[in-house]
Amino acid sequence: MTEGEGELAYNLTVIYGMSVLSMVVLYKVLYPPQHSSPPPNPMVSSESLPSPQSTLALIKSRRSIMPKDLSGESLTREEVELVLEAANWAPTHHKTEPWRYTVVEGSDAINDYLDMMETWYSDNKEDISEADYDKFLMKLSGARSTWPQNVSHVVVIGMARQALPDKKLPEWEEICAVASSVQNLHLALTSIEGAGGFWSSHTWCRMFRDSQDMRDYLGLKDAEDRVLGAFVIGKVQEGKTFKGKRRDWMEKVTWK
């Protein structure tokens, strides 16, 4: 190779190297490295899980406990947050997580909640049959006599019909997801000593329950969003016990 050819080869090597370096720099500018998302919750070790017997015992201990059997003692904020965290771990198809909860806390807020119902029925009385209106007033009177005095929290249950902008699943799947979430809430509540409650479907105030005014109160803006009642919780009166009974599970199972 002559001196001129060597100089040309050197220059071409430098130019090629600088070109590669420029391409690398340009790529890093246009496509910066993405920060990895936080790791998902780690798998729970089997050592920290309750035994099958303990799990079944908890499930069998779950009861629907009415406000008349509650004491008026309040659950702590930590206890309420625990049951809501449990509710958040329900199964959900395509991870839409459609459950939405609004927590009404304390006697004053519960009174306001019942006042809101009564005002709505009064304002819309012309559109409600006399029988339905009278039934509502009777049920409201019963709620007023026990809820503010005995109940710790009222957790109103909502369902976002389309919880994710790119996914709209069959409605029944989302209702099932919310029901599973409520069951988680109820089981977690059962695990707290002295705590109890029940799922009120709010059928007695269904016209308000299904109204846009109720959805607005819960921050549910879509007309297809649903309100599925409320979970009424508190501390059980001392000495109260509640029996449970189920027919044999084998009557309801077919093996193939």
Side-chain angles (χ1 to χ4, degrees):
M1 178 182 297
T2 65
E3 182 178 348
E5 290 173 335
E7 183 177 357
L8 177 60
Y10 173 79
N11 290 337
L12 288 174
T13 301
V14 171
I15 293 171
Y16 177 78
M18 291 300 294
S19 298
V20 170
L21 179 61
S22 298
M23 290 172 65
V24 171
V25 172
L26 182 61
Y27 180 86
K28 288 185 175 293
V29 171
L30 294 177
Y31 304 99
Q34 300 295 317
H35 295 291
S36 59
S37 58
N41 285 302
M43 292 291 291
V44 178
S45 66
S46 59
E47 290 80 7
S48 64
L49 292 174
S51 69
Q53 293 78 14
S54 297
T55 302
L56 185 58
L58 173 65
I59 293 170
K60 287 184 173 182
S61 298
R62 184 203 56 78
R63 297 287 183 272
S64 292
I65 300 174
M66 299 299 108
K68 67 181 179 61
D69 296 314
L70 300 177
S71 67
E73 182 184 350
S74 295
L75 276 77
T76 66
R77 177 62 67 89
E78 290 75 19
E79 289 171 331
V80 176
E81 289 178 350
L82 181 145
V83 301
L84 292 170
E85 170 73 1
N88 194 48
W89 279 95
T92 167
H93 195 194
H94 289 292
K95 295 183 171 58
T96 57
E97 303 177 26
W99 45 84
R100 299 291 182 270
Y101 293 107
T102 299
V103 182
V104 183
E105 184 175 30
S107 59
D108 289 343
I110 292 171
N111 265 320
D112 291 343
Y113 180 69
L114 297 175
D115 287 344
M116 178 177 61
M117 287 184 187
E118 186 172 21
T119 299
W120 188 92
Y121 267 81
S122 178
D123 291 346
N124 293 274
K125 188 174 182 179
E126 292 182 358
D127 301 322
I128 303 170
S129 71
E130 184 176 352
D132 282 343
Y133 195 81
D134 289 345
K135 183 177 181 180
F136 163 74
L137 290 179
M138 181 184 68
K139 291 286 191 179
L140 177 67
S141 176
R144 284 197 183 281
S145 69
T146 54
W147 289 26
Q149 296 81 12
N150 294 9
V151 171
S152 173
H153 296 74
V154 175
V155 182
V156 190
I157 304 161
M159 184 198 81
R161 180 65 188 88
Q162 186 168 1
L164 297 178
D166 59 335
K167 294 176 182 176
K168 188 172 184 179
L169 304 185
E171 185 181 43
W172 73 268
E173 292 186 3
E174 302 295 63
I175 292 173
C176 289
V178 176
S180 297
S181 175
V182 175
Q183 174 75 343
N184 278 10
L185 184 156
H186 200 171
L187 290 172
L189 186 67
T190 303
S191 75
I192 298 172
E193 184 176 1
F198 84 110
W199 184 355
S200 166
S201 65
H202 275 24
T203 301
W204 58 277
C205 57
R206 64 185 181 279
M207 297 187 73
F208 172 61
R209 178 199 66 191
D210 297 337
S211 70
Q212 186 58 52
D213 291 320
M214 179 58 143
R215 289 192 290 274
D216 289 343
Y217 170 71
L218 302 178
L220 300 171
K221 299 304 182 183
D222 194 312
E224 291 188 79
D225 292 343
R226 299 280 295 274
V227 181
L228 302 176
F231 207 95
V232 181
I233 65 177
K235 289 296 184 75
V236 181
Q237 293 177 24
E238 189 173 352
K240 289 273 188 178
T241 58
F242 307 91
K243 295 181 179 180
K245 184 179 180 181
R246 291 292 185 272
R247 295 185 302 277
D248 196 314
W249 64 268
M250 289 185 286
E251 299 176 9
K252 306 153 194 169
V253 177
T254 300
W255 298 83
K256 296 290 189 181

